[in-house]
Amino acid sequence: MEQDQILIAVIKAFQDTLKQEGIDTKVTADTQWLNFGLDSVALLGIFGELEERFGFEIDEELMVEQATIADLATELAMMGERA
């Protein structure tokens, strides 16, 4: 899967979860995702959804080190290459 497709999927996953949590904000590639204040259950849901979509296990510890949505997408692309 191309990195731009991964980026779109990550943005959508966060946007959907934020909407469910009642947080009305726009998610972009430059969004600092840790500032959303999502709890661990919501984050595990997002990562689980992305694992299902991409077909490989996501290392959550590595993901938390990524500052922006674009950084997450880049890391996911690299994980996909290693899978």
Side-chain angles (χ1 to χ4, degrees):
M1 182 175 280
E2 297 293 321
Q3 188 166 344
D4 59 336
Q5 293 173 313
I6 293 171
L7 178 60
I8 291 167
V10 173
I11 288 173
K12 182 177 179 343
F14 272 91
Q15 195 72 62
D16 291 349
T17 298
L18 289 168
K19 186 175 182 179
Q20 290 172 355
E21 297 287 323
I23 301 170
D24 184 27
T25 189
K26 182 175 172 84
V27 179
T28 68
D30 297 325
T31 300
Q32 301 278 325
W33 68 276
L34 289 171
N35 294 338
F36 292 137
L38 294 171
D39 62 21
S40 58
V41 174
L43 291 175
L44 287 174
I46 290 170
F47 292 141
E49 177 184 331
L50 294 172
E51 284 178 340
E52 188 174 308
R53 179 177 177 105
F54 300 136
F56 58 84
E57 188 173 329
I58 294 173
D59 182 344
E60 285 90 5
E61 289 181 25
L62 263 178
M63 298 310 289
V64 207
E65 296 174 2
Q66 311 311 312
T68 66
I69 297 292
D71 294 337
L72 285 174
T74 299
E75 186 61 36
L76 284 170
M78 290 189 298
M79 283 182 189
E81 290 174 2
R82 294 188 295 262

